[in-house]
Amino acid sequence: MEEDPIFPRVPVGDWAESIIDWLTTNVSALFDFIDLTVGWLVETLNTALLSPPSIVIILVLTLIAWLVRSWEFAVATPIGFALVAGMGQWENAMLTLSLVIIATIVAVIIAVPIGIAAARNAWVSGAVRPLLDFMQTMPAFVYLIPAIIFFSVGAVPGVVATVIFSLPPGVRLTELGIRQVDSETVEAGAAFGATPRQILRGIQLPLATPTIMAGINQVIMLALSMVVIAGMVGADGLGKEVVSAISTLNIPLGVEAGLGVVILAIFLDRTTAALGSPGEYPGSLRRVLRRATNRS
């Protein structure tokens, strides 16, 4: 590494290493707790998805597709997942789905409260924004380095790196959604004596739900984009298969594992998009049932 003749070297990397060493020495109990908790969650979900026959899970996913979107999506869903099973990638697809679901839940639990705080407090918004910029522009591979140091290899460092990488859209769109709520509606709620908490729960969050769901959709898509990188640290699933295919130049394996990721991405994207804007899908099963209930 050559030093610039004009500017003195700034050892940012050495400072980061010192911080990581300090955390490893003094906060190891917290990392052990996270390791055990996330590992148990991923393992439990893996067991739940892999215990029943694949046809049972496919039928459940088909019902979800029809319930939230349309019968056309419900017809396409079993075809896509039957193709995954037919390619011999069913177990890897469910392992990937477990990782994405756990990472998304953790990211949403962290992102939504931060987004709400940022929307209600300009100082929090100003402090969080550059941190989110940093998280979104830092190359995703870099997150694997501290994740491996803190959690060794396996699914847990993959989940942690995925959460960090996918968190920013959840915060940004939650803040945006609440800020976009009509101020006159909020003032009307205050005029009727509603407390700030009641305004948040009864007015702002319901009206901001489509934008918040768009943020969750982005979190899921970024989490799926991380599965290959997570496979590099030993997280089982389609990402690990893609990494194996790259290292051995195995084209069939790479195509089948990559196609499995695409099918998962399409299903999760369409499903979460429908959850965010249910009014756009009058053919969904829940809308049909609601109309039938209203007639009776």
Side-chain angles (χ1 to χ4, degrees):
M1 185 183 303
E2 294 184 3
E3 293 191 11
D4 191 280
I6 300 176
F7 298 100
R9 170 172 163 69
V10 181
V12 176
D14 296 335
W15 297 341
E17 184 180 20
S18 299
I19 293 172
I20 290 174
D21 289 343
W22 185 87
L23 291 172
T24 306
T25 305
N26 297 283
V27 199
S28 58
L30 175 62
F31 294 134
D32 291 342
F33 173 76
I34 295 173
D35 192 9
L36 287 173
T37 304
V38 174
W40 179 80
L41 288 172
V42 173
E43 188 62 33
T44 302
L45 190 54
N46 281 342
T47 304
L49 290 173
L50 292 174
S51 294
S54 58
I55 186 66
V56 174
I57 300 297
I58 291 175
L59 288 174
V60 171
L61 297 176
T62 302
L63 181 60
I64 292 173
W66 189 17
L67 191 65
V68 303
R69 196 174 178 96
S70 63
W71 66 267
E72 293 93 339
F73 187 46
V75 170
T77 296
I79 295 173
F81 283 104
L83 177 60
V84 173
M87 292 187 298
Q89 295 294 335
W90 179 256
E91 183 175 344
N92 289 320
M94 293 301 102
L95 293 173
T96 299
L97 185 60
S98 301
L99 189 149
V100 170
I101 289 175
I102 297 300
T104 300
I105 290 173
V106 175
V108 169
I109 289 173
I110 297 172
V112 171
I114 295 175
I116 292 172
R120 297 165 70 90
N121 188 302
W123 184 89
V124 174
S125 178
V128 164
R129 198 165 298 166
L131 181 61
L132 297 178
D133 293 339
F134 173 86
M135 292 169 67
Q136 281 191 294
T137 52
M138 177 66 75
F141 287 94
V142 177
Y143 295 130
L144 293 180
I145 300 172
I148 292 173
I149 294 173
F150 295 144
F151 305 106
S152 186
V153 295
V156 177
V159 170
V160 172
T162 302
V163 168
I164 296 172
F165 183 68
S166 61
L167 189 67
V171 178
R172 290 187 192 280
L173 287 173
T174 299
E175 179 184 0
L176 179 66
I178 293 178
R179 286 187 183 279
Q180 284 181 334
V181 173
D182 185 24
S183 59
E184 293 184 359
T185 306
V186 175
E187 290 171 3
F192 280 100
T195 64
R197 179 170 295 185
Q198 289 172 328
I199 291 173
L200 175 66
R201 294 171 59 182
I203 298 175
Q204 291 175 312
L205 283 179
L207 292 177
T209 295
T211 308
I212 295 173
M213 287 304 300
I216 294 174
N217 179 278
Q218 290 301 306
V219 169
I220 292 173
M221 292 299 104
L222 287 177
L224 270 170
S225 73
M226 277 289 288
V227 296
V228 174
I229 298 175
M232 292 180 176
V233 293
D236 292 328
L238 295 169
K240 194 173 184 179
E241 295 296 293
V242 172
V243 173
S244 174
I246 293 172
S247 60
T248 59
L249 295 179
N250 189 333
I251 294 176
L253 179 61
V255 171
E256 291 174 357
L259 192 55
V261 174
V262 171
I263 291 171
L264 269 182
I266 292 173
F267 175 78
L268 294 174
D269 176 59
R270 303 297 189 271
T271 302
T272 51
L275 286 172
S277 52
E280 297 180 8
Y281 303 98
S284 66
L285 182 58
R286 57 178 172 171
R287 295 290 300 275
V288 172
L289 292 175
R290 186 174 300 171
R291 286 197 295 270
T293 304
N294 292 337
R295 286 196 201 100
S296 62

